[in-house]
Amino acid sequence: MKQLICLLLMAFPFLAFSKAIDPESGTIKGQVTTSDNKPASFVHVVIKGTRKNVITEDNGSFLFSKIAPGTYQLEVSLVGYETLRQQVVVEKDKITAVAVQLTVSNTQLEEVTVTNARNKFADKTSEQVARMPLRNLENPQVYNVVDRQLIQEQMATERTELFRNIPGAVPNFSAGGSQGFSMRGFTTTIGMRNGMATSAIVPLNPIIIERVEAIKGPAGTLFGSNRNTTFGGVYNYVTKKPYADFGAEISATGGSFEFSRLTADVNTPLNKDKTLLLRVNAGLQSEGSFQDQGFGKIQTFAPSFTYLASDRLKFTIDAEFTRGNYTTSAFAIPVAAINNVTVRNFKDLPLGYKSSYINNSIDISNGIDNIQFQMEYKLSDQWKSQTNYLYSNGFYKHLYWTTFNMLTDSTFSRSVRNQTPETFGNTELQQNFIGDFHIGSLRNRMVIGIDYNYNYNELYRATVTYDTVNIRRPLNGINTDRIDALSSQAGYNATTTKTVNASAYISDAINITPELIAMASVRVDRYSTDGTFTQRTGLYGGAYKQTSVSPKFGLVYQLLHNKLTLFGNYMNGFVNQGPASQPDGSILILKPQYGNQWEGGVKFALLNNKISGGVSYYNIDVTNSTRTESINNMNFTVQDGTQRSRGVEVELIANPVAGLNIVAGYAYNKNDYTKASAALQGKQVIYSPNNVGNIWASYVITKGSVKGLGFGAGGNYVGECWFEASNTIKMPSYTLVGATVFFDQKSYRIALKGNNLTDQKYWNNNGTPQKPINFLASVTFKF
């Protein structure tokens, strides 16, 4: 398959020559703005008397190519408003520029496009995916977006619900409070925040999220190597930002299992000329549990300021203060106990689905503080400077994380990890220069950047076995006093680790022709650490420095301009690895672990963007993995391990008729160890199902007395996968079905939602039972 993709990539230039610019034709390039000078997206533009028509892009631009010379009349239409007409003269081999201003404001335009239900889930405009002005159909990389309209319609109360709209995504959960998902067979639970690396502790509240961007494949070239990225990709949380007009929403939600949530989203200009803007999001959320014990609470305060110092200079300060308190647990089956457990599917284990096996005192209290700063300065019409800074500090006031280790079909040990207190932090400073310029006839879109990342953690933890119990009999109580006493007896391990990444990168997307775009990118990364300081010994261990080079190449060929493209890419990611101590006293200096992806496919936005999406095939080879090898009865570390992940992804976003919107996806993935230790050789990665599917469809009535009444329904399928590394016990497949009904008006919104309507029993990656059938109701007041 790799050879086929290479042939496809090499064939692109020849295709380009077959579709070179016709010297006997001209081009119309235009920009549509609102009455308040904002870009007008999703506006219909027609060349009267022809079949030529387009929908404006998210930045308000539109383009007609290969137009015969002559005089034409453009019509710019918007449902409910008078059609604008403008005469335009096209000359051969020339570009005619057109500017059109609507009589509606940006706020009115948003109301019109939502009410008339364009392909509202298809917006993939992003400032951070490519770090340059590059549209989806021009980008050789695959990425998916879950935006605020879908988040609102599905009444998402936690991040795992958002992730289920991403093709191939399998949500997972870290006991520390982070929620993430598996992409292309690789798992991460942290994510980026507005394109920047955050703390490892992320109890993020979805009420502050404008959109989630899932950037597929090894992303080391632009995003580096840290705990936020994997060889499967990286996901980016884009937070809500201020806008120019006053607006406010207050929402209350209640539901099953004592769920309650109160949120506020207030935006206002702070001065008359609207150069100083403020937006504040705040929320309180609390819920009980369907199990006999358990609860979850989260509180968030998130202010965001924007200062438009001039027409060239813009400042943004974005902050978030979130506190979480909840209970959680995990199940594990140790390798030594596999033969003592007779069942081979997790659903057959004799575990009470509604039994927590702990109590509400065995909880976790954590938080995160994020302070983010951005300065953008327009250097010229072709270049801008972007300076980014993020201070991110996550912490545990305390953490009691209980793992139930199965020993036989009826017995398990309760093991508790006690962390109290701990701090995790990340500081990142980034400088980008972003250009859109021509060298001769070649258009270049480029980002040149440098990045400094300082990461630290201060850990204080102990892991103890609390007791061994028989689940067929009444369990003894469990309490924090005894956990603390056992931890003191075993001794807490206090460590501190600090690391630094200093990087430089460049990425250039070149229009060889209007249809053919070639991208070349590279990152050079220098990693250094003094190792881990252990308080007990007073010594550092594991110090090392490592340099990595991460390249990226891609080609895009537009078979139909802004409608249908072929693409191919080679992408690289890396993970730094410290020296390994060998049993004979020697030290093995390790190289970085690399993930290399080849991918090819098609992207489309057809029928005036009523149908958009893509299909792709990828192959990711992981090299320089470590494994153990027995030599003279001693287990040595060897760095020649390999792993392969390959698969197919399909995404479809459609608006077949007015008011009806559909988003759907399917992914096949197989990720296995091709060269590894004997216990892993040939095995598949845990919690990595081969088949994953998602669909959501909604219909909004756009006319009449019940205008704004909407209905939505959808489902998610997650195939069976392995629960543990020996590939002996499977996690069962499951299908979730949800539905919603809402009534959306200018001043209020009422909504009802049902989740897991078929009452499926299913478990997350920790083996923790998930919610059965449940319902939510909400009311929102808009000002």
Side-chain angles (χ1 to χ4, degrees):
M1 188 66 192
K2 184 185 296 184
Q3 290 80 1
L4 289 176
I5 297 173
C6 291
L7 290 173
L8 175 64
L9 298 181
M10 289 188 289
F12 280 170
F14 297 101
L15 293 172
F17 289 121
S18 69
K19 293 194 68 177
I21 299 174
D22 182 357
E24 297 300 320
S25 67
T27 299
I28 302 173
K29 182 180 181 181
Q31 180 81 23
V32 181
T33 57
T34 58
S35 60
D36 46 358
N37 295 313
K38 299 293 179 60
S41 59
F42 298 112
V43 175
H44 201 195
V45 184
V46 176
I47 302 179
K48 192 175 181 181
T50 75
R51 294 184 179 181
K52 299 278 189 177
N53 61 90
V54 296
I55 300 294
T56 57
E57 303 291 339
D58 302 289
N59 61 1
S61 67
F62 65 90
L63 182 73
F64 291 103
S65 58
K66 298 182 181 179
I67 305 300
T71 300
Y72 298 91
Q73 190 173 63
L74 290 183
E75 291 189 345
V76 182
S77 61
L78 189 63
V79 176
Y81 292 86
E82 184 179 351
T83 298
L84 295 179
R85 295 177 176 85
Q86 184 163 327
Q87 184 172 293
V88 58
V89 178
V90 178
E91 300 180 52
K92 70 175 184 179
D93 202 24
K94 289 187 178 180
I95 298 175
T96 302
V98 179
V100 180
Q101 188 168 49
L102 301 174
T103 57
V104 299
S105 70
N106 184 59
T107 302
Q108 290 172 312
L109 178 63
E110 286 188 357
E111 291 176 357
V112 171
T113 55
V114 171
T115 300
N116 289 282
R118 288 280 184 190
N119 199 355
K120 59 184 180 181
F121 302 145
D123 181 11
K124 289 197 173 185
T125 305
S126 174
E127 298 179 1
Q128 290 144 7
V129 168
R131 299 198 188 279
M132 65 173 77
L134 204 62
R135 294 183 300 108
N136 177 45
L137 267 62
E138 299 175 311
N139 193 334
Q141 185 170 9
V142 174
Y143 66 96
N144 311 110
V145 173
V146 181
D147 70 5
R148 63 182 175 86
Q149 296 190 69
L150 189 54
I151 295 171
Q152 179 189 57
E153 191 169 293
Q154 295 183 344
M155 296 177 64
T157 61
E158 60 180 47
R159 286 171 285 167
T160 54
E161 298 171 48
L162 314 183
F163 303 151
R164 293 191 184 279
N165 296 289
I166 297 168
V170 183
N172 56 45
F173 177 79
S174 167
S178 298
Q179 293 176 331
F181 55 90
S182 170
M183 282 191 290
R184 300 189 170 181
F186 299 91
T187 296
T188 183
T189 57
I190 303 175
M192 311 288 283
R193 187 183 194 278
N194 296 321
M196 304 283 280
T198 65
S199 163
I201 305 302
V202 192
L204 185 146
N205 195 325
I207 66 167
I208 73 169
I209 298 175
E210 181 74 19
R211 55 203 272 125
V212 178
E213 302 168 339
I215 307 162
K216 302 294 187 67
T221 308
L222 286 182
F223 296 98
S225 171
N226 52 64
R227 289 171 296 184
N228 300 330
T229 62
T230 70
F231 297 138
V234 58
Y235 57 97
N236 180 41
Y237 298 115
V238 180
T239 60
K240 295 177 181 177
K241 300 293 189 299
Y243 51 93
D245 302 312
F246 174 81
E249 291 188 0
I250 297 176
S251 178
T253 305
S256 305
F257 314 122
E258 302 172 5
F259 181 91
S260 63
R261 182 170 77 172
L262 179 65
T263 67
D265 181 355
V266 181
N267 184 90
T268 183
L270 296 178
N271 57 1
K272 288 184 178 181
D273 56 4
K274 299 183 179 181
T275 57
L276 184 59
L277 311 173
L278 168 66
R279 187 172 186 177
V280 176
N281 278 269
L284 299 172
Q285 181 172 310
S286 176
E287 64 180 320
S289 175
F290 67 92
Q291 294 188 313
D292 52 17
Q293 292 277 283
F295 69 91
K297 298 178 181 179
I298 190 168
Q299 303 90 36
T300 296
F301 177 71
S304 182
F305 298 88
T306 295
Y307 176 49
L308 306 172
S310 70
D311 59 350
R312 288 179 173 268
L313 182 60
K314 175 183 175 182
F315 296 95
T316 300
I317 299 176
D318 183 81
E320 169 202 355
F321 309 97
T322 295
R323 301 294 180 264
N325 184 210
Y326 57 95
T327 58
T328 190
S329 60
F331 287 84
I333 304 177
V335 174
I338 287 293
N339 293 330
N340 298 327
V341 178
T342 61
V343 300
R344 290 297 176 257
N345 194 300
F346 198 88
K347 67 181 179 180
D348 297 324
L349 291 172
L351 303 170
Y353 196 79
K354 294 185 178 182
S355 299
S356 68
Y357 301 114
I358 56 173
N359 58 57
N360 286 351
S361 70
I362 314 301
D363 68 337
I364 295 171
S365 178
N366 62 6
I368 190 168
D369 299 326
N370 285 312
I371 300 175
Q372 197 157 3
F373 167 84
Q374 183 181 85
M375 179 180 70
E376 290 189 316
Y377 183 73
K378 185 178 180 181
L379 299 169
S380 68
D381 290 339
Q382 292 79 37
W383 286 94
K384 75 173 180 180
S385 167
Q386 183 188 79
T387 305
N388 299 307
Y389 171 82
L390 174 62
Y391 166 81
S392 183
N393 185 72
F395 61 87
Y396 297 123
K397 290 179 65 176
H398 64 261
L399 178 149
Y400 297 105
W401 175 16
T402 306
T403 299
F404 309 108
N405 297 292
M406 298 294 300
L407 304 177
T408 69
D409 285 342
S410 59
T411 61
F412 61 78
S413 65
R414 288 191 287 191
S415 174
V416 183
R417 193 160 82 182
N418 187 356
Q419 302 172 211
T420 175
E422 292 190 343
T423 301
F424 299 76
N426 198 86
T427 301
E428 185 173 9
L429 178 62
Q430 184 183 92
Q431 174 62 48
N432 294 316
F433 294 98
I434 302 167
D436 187 350
F437 59 95
H438 284 76
I439 299 178
S441 62
L442 301 179
R443 182 187 182 189
N444 291 260
R445 277 163 289 182
M446 179 182 291
V447 58
I448 304 171
I450 56 175
D451 189 287
Y452 173 85
N453 191 301
Y454 170 70
N455 188 277
Y456 68 90
N457 60 63
E458 297 173 354
L459 310 182
Y460 187 72
R461 58 182 58 177
T463 300
V464 298
T465 298
Y466 188 88
D467 59 8
T468 298
V469 298
N470 188 322
I471 58 176
R472 302 185 191 280
R473 300 172 184 170
L475 269 62
N476 296 324
I478 183 170
N479 63 78
T480 58
D481 289 340
R482 184 161 186 263
I483 293 172
D484 291 339
L486 289 171
S487 299
S488 297
Q489 183 179 347
Y492 288 89
N493 190 28
T495 61
T496 301
T497 305
K498 299 175 182 179
T499 66
V500 171
N501 282 80
S503 308
Y505 49 88
I506 182 171
S507 181
D508 189 12
I510 305 173
N511 275 89
I512 299 173
T513 73
E515 289 83 14
L516 179 64
I517 300 174
M519 175 183 280
S521 317
V522 67
R523 183 188 195 99
V524 178
D525 180 278
R526 181 64 171 174
Y527 175 92
S528 62
T529 178
D530 291 332
T532 298
F533 176 78
T534 302
Q535 191 178 72
R536 186 179 296 170
T537 63
L539 300 174
Y540 281 91
Y544 72 103
K545 301 180 188 301
Q546 201 165 71
T547 299
S548 302
V549 178
S550 179
K552 172 183 173 183
F553 302 99
L555 283 175
V556 170
Y557 182 71
Q558 300 197 43
L559 295 173
L560 297 173
H561 190 73
N562 288 339
K563 295 180 180 179
L564 179 64
T565 67
L566 295 175
F567 71 91
N569 65 59
Y570 165 80
M571 295 175 59
N572 173 274
F574 59 96
V575 173
N576 299 110
Q577 299 187 107
S581 299
Q582 303 285 39
D584 62 358
S586 63
I587 301 294
L588 175 63
I589 303 301
L590 298 176
K591 301 175 183 178
Q593 184 187 43
Y594 283 103
N596 301 287
Q597 172 183 278
W598 291 92
E599 182 176 19
V602 60
K603 297 181 182 181
F604 51 86
L606 305 172
L607 302 177
N608 292 329
N609 202 39
K610 285 182 175 294
I611 299 176
S612 67
V615 181
S616 68
Y617 171 84
Y618 61 87
N619 185 94
I620 303 172
D621 287 308
V622 179
T623 60
N624 287 351
S625 299
T626 59
R627 64 185 184 90
T628 57
E629 185 172 293
S630 180
I631 302 174
N632 296 327
N633 295 321
M634 292 186 292
N635 290 326
F636 284 80
T637 299
V638 181
Q639 192 180 20
D640 62 357
T642 58
Q643 184 179 343
R644 174 171 293 174
S645 176
R646 61 276 195 201
V648 176
E649 290 178 346
V650 180
E651 180 183 44
L652 177 66
I653 307 173
N655 170 223
V657 297
L660 176 62
N661 287 270
I662 302 168
V663 56
Y666 167 76
Y668 170 83
N669 172 265
K670 187 176 182 183
N671 187 354
D672 48 26
Y673 299 99
T674 49
K675 188 173 184 179
S677 302
L680 293 179
Q681 180 66 37
K683 300 293 195 300
Q684 285 191 232
V685 174
I686 62 171
Y687 209 67
S688 180
N690 294 141
N691 296 283
V692 178
N694 65 281
I695 186 170
W696 180 263
S698 68
Y699 179 74
V700 180
I701 297 173
T702 60
K703 297 178 182 179
S705 59
V706 290
K707 176 182 175 181
L709 178 63
F711 308 88
N716 295 89
Y717 172 78
V718 177
E720 64 180 11
C721 57
W722 296 109
F723 176 68
E724 39 67 56
S726 71
N727 287 189
T728 301
I729 298 177
K730 284 188 174 181
M731 184 70 75
S733 63
Y734 61 89
T735 301
L736 301 179
V737 176
T740 184
V741 57
F742 54 89
F743 190 47
D744 199 355
Q745 299 296 294
K746 186 176 180 179
S747 59
Y748 66 90
R749 177 185 175 93
I750 301 172
L752 299 172
K753 175 76 183 296
N755 296 302
N756 193 6
L757 293 176
T758 59
D759 205 23
Q760 286 264 294
K761 289 185 177 181
Y762 69 107
W763 296 261
N764 68 9
N765 59 301
N766 291 326
T768 306
Q770 300 300 288
K771 291 180 184 178
I773 184 172
N774 62 93
F775 298 92
L776 295 170
S778 76
V779 58
T780 301
F781 299 101
K782 308 176 188 178
F783 305 92

